[in-house]
Amino acid sequence: MDPAKQVEEALNKMSIAYQIVHHPVAHTTEEADHFIEGIEGVHTKTMFLTNKKKTACYLLVMDDGKRLDFHEFEELTGAKRPKMGHDDLLFEKLGLEPGIVSIFGLLNNQDHDVKVYFDKAILSEPRMSFHPNINTSTIFVGSDDVLQFVKNLGYDYQILELEE
């Protein structure tokens, strides 16, 4: 099934409203931002992280204009020496390729073993934007609905207060 259709079907099944914008391929958040300029919603980036021994995986959703301090993430979460997850591990856990990581990758996490984190700063925004598991569209979903989506899939999440 088309990855975006899978996301849309999941959202429809959960009665979660969304707006989808189709656009040319966007390899980076900066490219995607160009295509969705002027549409209300925080532009997010979702980072797939792992610990040094690759025994734990994490998804962190934050504003795409913010840089992650890995030491701060380690202090806040207890993750041992966090780093970007390798492409093979990303595909194994979320069925995604680099450049299209989003919260919707959880639909593919058969083992339910990815820990989910949100930066508190984005939760006050009315909507968030993500790739719907492909990089030729951007989907906007209400912030509360994003949290409900994660819960509906059976995941807990934690809210982190990341420094600017």
Side-chain angles (χ1 to χ4, degrees):
M1 173 185 293
D2 174 87
K5 291 291 179 211
Q6 177 194 26
V7 170
E8 289 183 64
E9 283 184 15
L11 292 172
N12 289 335
K13 187 176 181 179
M14 295 177 194
S15 299
I16 294 176
Y18 59 89
Q19 175 187 2
I20 193 159
V21 177
H22 300 284
H23 52 69
V25 171
H27 296 286
T28 66
T29 55
E30 292 81 16
E31 287 179 28
D33 286 352
H34 173 73
F35 299 124
I36 57 174
E37 195 172 318
I39 300 174
E40 181 188 21
V42 64
H43 301 177
T44 67
K45 67 179 165 190
T46 306
M47 300 179 72
F48 178 71
L49 308 167
T50 188
N51 60 1
K52 181 181 171 148
K53 294 184 179 181
K54 299 179 187 170
T55 57
C57 296
Y58 318 96
L59 269 186
L60 171 63
V61 181
M62 59 192 291
D63 188 301
D64 74 358
K66 202 175 209 180
R67 290 182 51 95
L68 176 63
D69 179 333
F70 286 87
H71 295 291
E72 179 186 26
F73 183 81
E74 181 175 15
E75 289 172 12
L76 293 172
T77 64
K80 301 295 181 209
R81 298 182 64 191
K83 61 181 185 172
M84 297 300 293
H86 191 272
D87 297 354
D88 293 340
L89 186 60
L90 170 62
F91 191 79
E92 175 189 332
K93 293 295 181 181
L94 301 178
L96 300 176
E97 301 290 332
I100 57 170
V101 180
S102 85
I103 199 70
F104 301 117
L106 293 174
L107 289 166
N108 303 320
N109 182 229
Q110 300 299 319
D111 297 329
H112 262 67
D113 59 350
V114 175
K115 295 178 182 175
V116 181
Y117 298 93
F118 290 90
D119 182 9
K120 182 179 180 181
I122 64 172
L123 296 179
S124 61
E125 297 289 336
R127 297 194 318 168
M128 296 181 195
S129 68
F130 301 92
H131 282 313
N133 293 343
I134 58 169
N135 60 359
T136 55
S137 298
T138 299
I139 195 163
F140 291 83
V141 180
S143 296
D144 290 341
D145 289 334
V146 171
L147 300 178
Q148 189 59 49
F149 171 82
V150 172
K151 285 282 198 193
N152 288 350
L153 291 180
Y155 290 86
D156 289 322
Y157 59 84
Q158 290 184 301
I159 298 169
L160 305 178
E161 208 160 336
L162 300 173
E163 298 290 322
E164 286 300 317

